[in-house]
Each structure stands twice: as structure tokens, then as C-alpha cells.
Amino acid sequence: MFLKRLGPDPHASGALTPALRGCPDIFELESGDFAVIGIDITELSAKHLPPSAGCGPDERIVRIPRKTLVFAKSDIPNQV
């Protein structure tokens, strides 16, 4: 299911993460889609989504630190 991690291991060099359980993280899946591990902010943020966006009952809005996405940038494919 998980093909590869995008960006460095969040605990590389002994770094600590807020939850201390391995998140945040971004993975490429075998299907070519992506999975994100982050802090669930659905309840706090869903009401602030723009009118053209929505969060379905089977979806969650997660927050990941900026550095997680920036460090993963070089691993994200440029083509669909």
C-alpha cells in the first residue's frame, strides 16, 4: 500500500514531533495517490472552508507543518 515516504523521516537525527508518534508524514501510495499523517483539525476548520470546498463524512482535514511539505517538495512528482 505505501510505496515510499516523501521527504525525510520526521525523527531523523533524533528530532521530536509534536505527538512523538511518528507524525507528521507524507507517503506516496502504490496507486499513485498520497497519504498524509497530521493533526486532525476538521472540527475547528471545516466551518471556515470557502463555499466551493467541503469535507465529506469520510474525510478529515489534517494539518502538517510547513517544513514537512517543503522538505517533501523534491520527492513530489511533477507529472500526473
Side-chain angles (χ1 to χ4, degrees):
M1 175 175 203
F2 294 100
L3 185 62
K4 67 178 181 176
R5 171 181 273 129
L6 303 183
D9 182 322
H11 295 122
S13 304
L16 299 177
T17 57
L20 299 176
R21 294 194 178 150
C23 72
D25 232 327
I26 304 172
F27 293 93
E28 184 172 358
L29 304 175
E30 290 174 342
S31 67
D33 291 337
F34 299 92
V36 176
I37 300 172
I39 296 172
D40 185 351
I41 62 167
T42 306
E43 190 172 320
L44 298 172
S45 61
K47 61 186 169 212
H48 299 288
L49 287 170
S52 61
C55 185
D58 62 338
E59 299 173 322
R60 308 304 294 161
I61 302 169
V62 298
R63 182 184 76 216
I64 59 170
R66 179 180 180 86
K67 73 176 191 173
T68 300
L69 188 58
V70 171
F71 287 161
K73 185 177 179 179
S74 64
D75 294 334
I76 297 172
N78 290 321
Q79 300 174 5
V80 177

